[in-house]
Amino acid sequence: AGPGSYTVGTMSERFDCHYCRDPLQGKKYVQKEGRHCCVKCFEKFCANTCIECKKPIGADSKELHFKNRYWHDNCFRCFKCYTSLVNEPFMLRENNKVWCSNCTAKEDAPRCKGCYKPIIAGDQNVEYKKMVWHKDCFTCSQCKQVIGSGSFFPKGDDFYCVSCHEHKFAKTCAKCKNPITSGGLTYQEQPWHSECFICSNCKNQLGGKRFTAVEDQFYCVECYKECVAKKCAGCKNPITGFGRGTSVVNYEDESWHDYCFKCTKCARALANKRFVCHNGKIYCAECPKRL
């Protein structure tokens, strides 16, 4: 920016205005492009128009110019904050408006999705999928606490801290009723923590192992044999329901493996067959006749 290419003076000899022909002797005049004119004609025919206020820049005014655009010195202000830009860095933006460097930086900066204010250089921020927040504006949709640079879970347009996500969306363990955040297992359509699905006797985890459920209690194979299973009236070993002999024969408060339920005399297998009990012993239908 700089002054216009004209000079102002006072005539001491006979000289007329180039436009109105009024004598300029003893009057203030303006010389521009080799022509002399009175102040009034200068403003009417020669003066540049201020791009901001749209008024002519008179001979007595200070003029600033940039790229064929002209301003009064007191009109040369930031469009956004109105700070004077005389001798200050500036930028010419849309609609021929001048902006100071600070306002330009803020206008071009990305906007926080939380407060919609610009995020300027030096601000701590969080970015996620082309969206950006001030660090303190990135909060949990549930508890409203600042997540900042911590872990979070996105759900649609919402974001949750770890704690709120667990309570709002995680499955709840059937035993301890706390959220299952990772791992876990399912039994009879109910979720369990692996560490909660354990043998009621030895407390070892049952995930991936064989077990038996008895009246809402779970037992590993060994504890079931030792503590819960009935003993076979024939071989005296526990009836576990695992492996060979999964079928059980029950008679008068006693139980047998299906392969142990046989005639005392001829050893014929009697599971699902007619039998006779004589003096506390089991016989096939024929053997009692031979006794």
Side-chain angles (χ1 to χ4, degrees):
S5 56
Y6 55 84
T7 59
V8 179
T10 302
M11 294 296 295
S12 59
E13 298 180 0
R14 173 72 185 186
F15 209 84
D16 296 335
C17 173
H18 174 77
Y19 296 97
C20 68
R21 297 305 176 182
D22 283 350
L24 296 176
Q25 185 176 3
K27 297 180 181 179
K28 203 171 187 177
Y29 74 94
V30 179
Q31 180 178 342
K32 185 175 182 180
E33 297 176 354
R35 297 173 180 175
H36 301 80
C37 59
C38 63
V39 173
K40 184 177 180 180
C41 287
F42 171 79
E43 294 183 355
K44 184 176 181 181
F45 299 108
C46 302
N48 295 311
T49 301
C50 176
I51 198 170
E52 182 63 28
C53 69
K54 311 305 179 185
K55 295 180 181 179
I57 304 173
D60 295 327
S61 300
K62 291 183 180 180
E63 178 184 275
L64 300 174
H65 71 272
F66 177 74
K67 291 186 177 181
N68 296 322
R69 295 173 176 85
Y70 301 88
W71 292 263
H72 293 101
D73 63 336
N74 59 351
C75 289
F76 196 61
R77 296 177 176 274
C78 174
F79 172 73
K80 198 74 174 177
C81 68
Y82 304 108
T83 299
S84 174
L85 295 177
V86 178
N87 299 321
E88 297 292 337
F90 66 91
M91 178 174 289
L92 190 66
R93 296 175 65 91
E94 60 274 5
N95 299 322
N96 292 321
K97 301 298 183 181
V98 287
W99 293 56
C100 67
S101 55
N102 287 338
C103 290
T104 298
K106 291 179 181 179
E107 184 70 14
D108 294 339
R111 295 277 171 171
C112 172
K113 189 170 174 62
C115 67
Y116 304 105
K117 295 179 180 179
I119 298 175
I120 60 178
D123 287 346
Q124 290 185 310
N125 62 77
V126 176
E127 294 186 30
Y128 177 74
K129 288 189 175 180
K130 298 182 179 180
M131 296 181 289
V132 63
W133 294 259
H134 291 108
K135 185 177 179 180
D136 291 341
C137 292
F138 189 59
T139 59
C140 174
S141 299
Q142 182 78 9
C143 68
K144 308 305 180 184
Q145 295 298 310
V146 174
I147 298 173
S149 56
S151 298
F152 66 92
F153 292 88
K155 286 287 184 180
D157 293 331
D158 295 324
F159 300 89
Y160 297 90
C161 65
V162 174
S163 177
C164 288
H165 182 267
E166 287 178 359
H167 287 89
K168 189 174 180 67
F169 299 104
K171 293 180 180 178
T172 301
C173 176
K175 182 177 181 180
C176 70
K177 309 305 179 185
N178 290 321
I180 301 173
T181 59
S182 62
L185 51 85
T186 301
Y187 174 69
Q188 291 187 341
E189 299 183 355
Q190 288 186 313
W192 300 72
H193 289 113
S194 297
E195 58 271 22
C196 290
F197 196 69
I198 58 176
C199 174
S200 296
N201 185 59
C202 69
K203 308 305 179 184
N204 289 328
Q205 293 186 19
L206 297 175
K209 299 178 181 179
R210 292 193 304 170
F211 66 91
T212 297
V214 180
E215 296 180 354
D216 296 328
Q217 300 294 315
F218 305 109
Y219 298 90
C220 65
V221 173
E222 294 304 318
C223 288
Y224 179 75
K225 289 180 181 179
E226 187 71 24
C227 305
V228 183
K230 293 180 178 180
K231 300 298 189 291
C232 175
C235 68
K236 308 305 180 183
N237 290 321
I239 302 172
T240 63
F242 302 116
R244 180 173 176 239
T246 55
S247 296
V248 180
V249 177
N250 295 301
Y251 178 69
E252 291 187 353
D253 298 325
E254 289 191 304
S255 300
W256 291 259
H257 295 106
D258 61 347
Y259 55 83
C260 291
F261 192 66
K262 55 190 177 182
C263 178
T264 305
K265 184 173 181 62
C266 68
R268 180 186 300 176
L270 296 178
N272 298 317
K273 295 180 181 179
R274 294 179 60 193
F275 64 90
V276 175
C277 183
H278 181 68
N279 293 331
K281 296 183 178 180
I282 302 299
Y283 297 93
C284 65
E286 300 299 326
C287 283
K289 298 177 184 178
R290 300 169 187 163
L291 295 177

Short mmCIF file of all heavy atoms in Angstrom, two decimals, residues 6-34:
data_model
loop_
_atom_site.label_atom_id
_atom_site.label_comp_id
_atom_site.label_asym_id
_atom_site.label_seq_id
_atom_site.Cartn_x
_atom_site.Cartn_y
_atom_site.Cartn_z
N TYR A 6 -0.16 11.75 -6.99
CA TYR A 6 -0.54 13.13 -7.26
C TYR A 6 0.06 13.99 -6.17
O TYR A 6 0.45 13.51 -5.11
CB TYR A 6 -2.07 13.29 -7.34
CG TYR A 6 -2.80 12.80 -6.12
CD1 TYR A 6 -2.93 13.62 -4.99
CD2 TYR A 6 -3.35 11.53 -6.09
CE1 TYR A 6 -3.58 13.17 -3.87
CE2 TYR A 6 -4.00 11.07 -4.97
CZ TYR A 6 -4.12 11.90 -3.86
OH TYR A 6 -4.78 11.46 -2.76
N THR A 7 0.11 15.31 -6.41
CA THR A 7 0.65 16.26 -5.42
C THR A 7 -0.37 17.35 -5.16
O THR A 7 -1.22 17.65 -6.00
CB THR A 7 1.96 16.91 -5.92
OG1 THR A 7 1.69 17.58 -7.16
CG2 THR A 7 3.03 15.86 -6.14
N VAL A 8 -0.29 17.88 -3.95
CA VAL A 8 -1.21 18.96 -3.54
C VAL A 8 -0.38 20.21 -3.29
O VAL A 8 0.66 20.15 -2.66
CB VAL A 8 -1.97 18.56 -2.26
CG1 VAL A 8 -2.90 19.70 -1.84
CG2 VAL A 8 -2.76 17.29 -2.50
N GLY A 9 -0.86 21.33 -3.77
CA GLY A 9 -0.13 22.58 -3.59
C GLY A 9 -1.05 23.78 -3.56
O GLY A 9 -2.27 23.63 -3.62
N THR A 10 -0.46 25.01 -3.52
CA THR A 10 -1.24 26.26 -3.54
C THR A 10 -0.66 27.17 -4.62
O THR A 10 0.55 27.41 -4.64
CB THR A 10 -1.17 26.97 -2.18
OG1 THR A 10 -1.66 26.09 -1.17
CG2 THR A 10 -2.03 28.22 -2.19
N MET A 11 -1.54 27.65 -5.56
CA MET A 11 -1.07 28.50 -6.67
C MET A 11 -0.77 29.92 -6.18
O MET A 11 -1.54 30.49 -5.42
CB MET A 11 -2.12 28.57 -7.78
CG MET A 11 -2.34 27.22 -8.48
SD MET A 11 -0.90 26.64 -9.35
CE MET A 11 -0.76 27.89 -10.60
N SER A 12 0.35 30.46 -6.61
CA SER A 12 0.67 31.87 -6.31
C SER A 12 0.52 32.75 -7.55
O SER A 12 0.57 33.97 -7.46
CB SER A 12 2.10 31.98 -5.76
OG SER A 12 3.02 31.47 -6.72
N GLU A 13 0.35 32.11 -8.72
CA GLU A 13 0.15 32.83 -9.97
C GLU A 13 -1.17 32.41 -10.58
O GLU A 13 -1.78 31.42 -10.18
CB GLU A 13 1.29 32.55 -10.93
CG GLU A 13 2.66 33.01 -10.40
CD GLU A 13 3.76 32.70 -11.38
OE1 GLU A 13 3.44 32.13 -12.44
OE2 GLU A 13 4.91 32.99 -11.07
N ARG A 14 -1.59 33.19 -11.59
CA ARG A 14 -2.85 32.90 -12.28
C ARG A 14 -2.78 31.52 -12.90
O ARG A 14 -1.88 31.21 -13.68
CB ARG A 14 -3.10 33.95 -13.37
CG ARG A 14 -4.29 33.70 -14.27
CD ARG A 14 -5.59 33.93 -13.55
NE ARG A 14 -6.73 33.57 -14.35
CZ ARG A 14 -7.99 33.78 -14.00
NH1 ARG A 14 -8.24 34.36 -12.83
NH2 ARG A 14 -9.00 33.43 -14.77
N PHE A 15 -3.79 30.64 -12.49
CA PHE A 15 -3.87 29.30 -13.04
C PHE A 15 -5.27 28.79 -12.81
O PHE A 15 -5.81 28.98 -11.73
CB PHE A 15 -2.84 28.39 -12.36
CG PHE A 15 -2.37 27.28 -13.24
CD1 PHE A 15 -1.35 27.49 -14.15
CD2 PHE A 15 -2.98 26.04 -13.19
CE1 PHE A 15 -0.91 26.48 -14.97
CE2 PHE A 15 -2.53 25.01 -14.01
CZ PHE A 15 -1.49 25.22 -14.92
N ASP A 16 -5.87 28.18 -13.82
CA ASP A 16 -7.27 27.75 -13.70
C ASP A 16 -7.36 26.24 -13.52
O ASP A 16 -6.51 25.47 -13.98
CB ASP A 16 -8.04 28.14 -14.96
CG ASP A 16 -8.11 29.66 -15.14
OD1 ASP A 16 -7.99 30.35 -14.10
OD2 ASP A 16 -8.28 30.10 -16.28
N CYS A 17 -8.49 25.81 -12.89
CA CYS A 17 -8.78 24.37 -12.75
C CYS A 17 -9.03 23.77 -14.12
O CYS A 17 -9.74 24.34 -14.95
CB CYS A 17 -9.99 24.19 -11.84
SG CYS A 17 -10.58 22.48 -11.75
N HIS A 18 -8.47 22.61 -14.34
CA HIS A 18 -8.60 21.95 -15.64
C HIS A 18 -10.06 21.61 -15.94
O HIS A 18 -10.46 21.56 -17.11
CB HIS A 18 -7.76 20.67 -15.63
CG HIS A 18 -7.93 19.82 -16.86
ND1 HIS A 18 -7.35 20.13 -18.07
CD2 HIS A 18 -8.66 18.68 -17.07
CE1 HIS A 18 -7.67 19.22 -18.97
NE2 HIS A 18 -8.47 18.32 -18.38
N TYR A 19 -10.88 21.44 -14.91
CA TYR A 19 -12.26 20.99 -15.14
C TYR A 19 -13.27 22.15 -15.07
O TYR A 19 -14.06 22.35 -15.99
CB TYR A 19 -12.62 19.90 -14.11
CG TYR A 19 -11.79 18.65 -14.27
CD1 TYR A 19 -10.66 18.44 -13.48
CD2 TYR A 19 -12.10 17.70 -15.24
CE1 TYR A 19 -9.88 17.30 -13.63
CE2 TYR A 19 -11.31 16.56 -15.39
CZ TYR A 19 -10.21 16.36 -14.60
OH TYR A 19 -9.44 15.25 -14.77
N CYS A 20 -13.26 22.89 -14.00
CA CYS A 20 -14.27 23.95 -13.84
C CYS A 20 -13.78 25.32 -14.27
O CYS A 20 -14.55 26.28 -14.30
CB CYS A 20 -14.77 23.97 -12.40
SG CYS A 20 -13.51 24.55 -11.23
N ARG A 21 -12.49 25.45 -14.56
CA ARG A 21 -11.87 26.71 -15.01
C ARG A 21 -11.87 27.80 -13.95
O ARG A 21 -11.59 28.96 -14.26
CB ARG A 21 -12.56 27.23 -16.28
CG ARG A 21 -12.43 26.31 -17.48
CD ARG A 21 -10.97 25.99 -17.79
NE ARG A 21 -10.83 25.04 -18.88
CZ ARG A 21 -9.66 24.58 -19.32
NH1 ARG A 21 -8.56 24.97 -18.70
NH2 ARG A 21 -9.61 23.71 -20.31
N ASP A 22 -12.21 27.47 -12.72
CA ASP A 22 -12.10 28.45 -11.66
C ASP A 22 -10.62 28.73 -11.41
O ASP A 22 -9.77 27.83 -11.53
CB ASP A 22 -12.73 27.91 -10.37
CG ASP A 22 -14.24 27.98 -10.40
OD1 ASP A 22 -14.78 28.61 -11.33
OD2 ASP A 22 -14.88 27.38 -9.51
N PRO A 23 -10.31 30.03 -11.11
CA PRO A 23 -8.90 30.36 -10.85
C PRO A 23 -8.40 29.64 -9.60
O PRO A 23 -9.12 29.51 -8.61
CB PRO A 23 -8.92 31.87 -10.66
CG PRO A 23 -10.31 32.19 -10.26
CD PRO A 23 -11.19 31.22 -10.98
N LEU A 24 -7.16 29.15 -9.66
CA LEU A 24 -6.58 28.41 -8.54
C LEU A 24 -5.61 29.25 -7.72
O LEU A 24 -5.05 28.75 -6.74
CB LEU A 24 -5.84 27.17 -9.08
CG LEU A 24 -6.72 26.12 -9.77
CD1 LEU A 24 -5.86 25.00 -10.33
CD2 LEU A 24 -7.77 25.56 -8.82
N GLN A 25 -5.44 30.53 -8.14
CA GLN A 25 -4.49 31.38 -7.44
C GLN A 25 -4.88 31.53 -5.97
O GLN A 25 -6.01 31.89 -5.63
CB GLN A 25 -4.40 32.75 -8.10
CG GLN A 25 -3.34 33.65 -7.49
CD GLN A 25 -3.21 34.96 -8.23
OE1 GLN A 25 -3.96 35.23 -9.18
NE2 GLN A 25 -2.26 35.78 -7.83
N GLY A 26 -3.94 31.21 -5.07
CA GLY A 26 -4.18 31.33 -3.63
C GLY A 26 -5.05 30.22 -3.06
O GLY A 26 -5.40 30.27 -1.89
N LYS A 27 -5.42 29.22 -3.89
CA LYS A 27 -6.28 28.13 -3.43
C LYS A 27 -5.50 26.81 -3.42
O LYS A 27 -4.48 26.65 -4.08
CB LYS A 27 -7.50 27.99 -4.35
CG LYS A 27 -8.41 29.19 -4.36
CD LYS A 27 -9.58 28.95 -5.30
CE LYS A 27 -10.53 30.14 -5.35
NZ LYS A 27 -11.65 29.92 -6.29
N LYS A 28 -6.05 25.88 -2.65
CA LYS A 28 -5.48 24.55 -2.62
C LYS A 28 -5.84 23.83 -3.92
O LYS A 28 -6.98 23.94 -4.40
CB LYS A 28 -6.03 23.78 -1.43
CG LYS A 28 -5.16 22.64 -0.96
CD LYS A 28 -5.71 22.10 0.37
CE LYS A 28 -4.77 21.08 0.95
NZ LYS A 28 -5.25 20.60 2.25
N TYR A 29 -4.91 23.13 -4.49
CA TYR A 29 -5.19 22.43 -5.74
C TYR A 29 -4.49 21.07 -5.71
O TYR A 29 -3.66 20.79 -4.84
CB TYR A 29 -4.70 23.26 -6.93
CG TYR A 29 -3.20 23.24 -7.10
CD1 TYR A 29 -2.59 22.31 -7.95
CD2 TYR A 29 -2.40 24.16 -6.40
CE1 TYR A 29 -1.21 22.30 -8.09
CE2 TYR A 29 -1.04 24.15 -6.54
CZ TYR A 29 -0.44 23.21 -7.39
OH TYR A 29 0.91 23.18 -7.52
N VAL A 30 -4.82 20.26 -6.70
CA VAL A 30 -4.22 18.93 -6.84
C VAL A 30 -3.66 18.80 -8.25
O VAL A 30 -4.31 19.20 -9.23
CB VAL A 30 -5.25 17.80 -6.61
CG1 VAL A 30 -4.60 16.44 -6.79
CG2 VAL A 30 -5.87 17.92 -5.21
N GLN A 31 -2.45 18.30 -8.35
CA GLN A 31 -1.85 18.04 -9.65
C GLN A 31 -1.78 16.53 -9.86
O GLN A 31 -1.19 15.80 -9.08
CB GLN A 31 -0.44 18.64 -9.72
CG GLN A 31 0.23 18.42 -11.07
CD GLN A 31 1.62 19.06 -11.13
OE1 GLN A 31 1.93 19.94 -10.32
NE2 GLN A 31 2.42 18.62 -12.08
N LYS A 32 -2.41 16.07 -10.92
CA LYS A 32 -2.42 14.65 -11.22
C LYS A 32 -2.32 14.45 -12.72
O LYS A 32 -3.08 15.04 -13.48
CB LYS A 32 -3.70 13.99 -10.68
CG LYS A 32 -3.71 12.47 -10.86
CD LYS A 32 -4.94 11.83 -10.21
CE LYS A 32 -4.91 10.32 -10.35
NZ LYS A 32 -6.09 9.69 -9.74
N GLU A 33 -1.36 13.61 -13.11
CA GLU A 33 -1.13 13.31 -14.52
C GLU A 33 -0.95 14.60 -15.34
O GLU A 33 -1.52 14.75 -16.44
CB GLU A 33 -2.29 12.47 -15.06
CG GLU A 33 -2.41 11.11 -14.37
CD GLU A 33 -3.62 10.33 -14.87
OE1 GLU A 33 -4.42 10.89 -15.65
OE2 GLU A 33 -3.76 9.16 -14.46
N GLY A 34 -0.22 15.56 -14.79
CA GLY A 34 0.08 16.80 -15.48
C GLY A 34 -1.03 17.81 -15.50
O GLY A 34 -0.92 18.87 -16.13
#
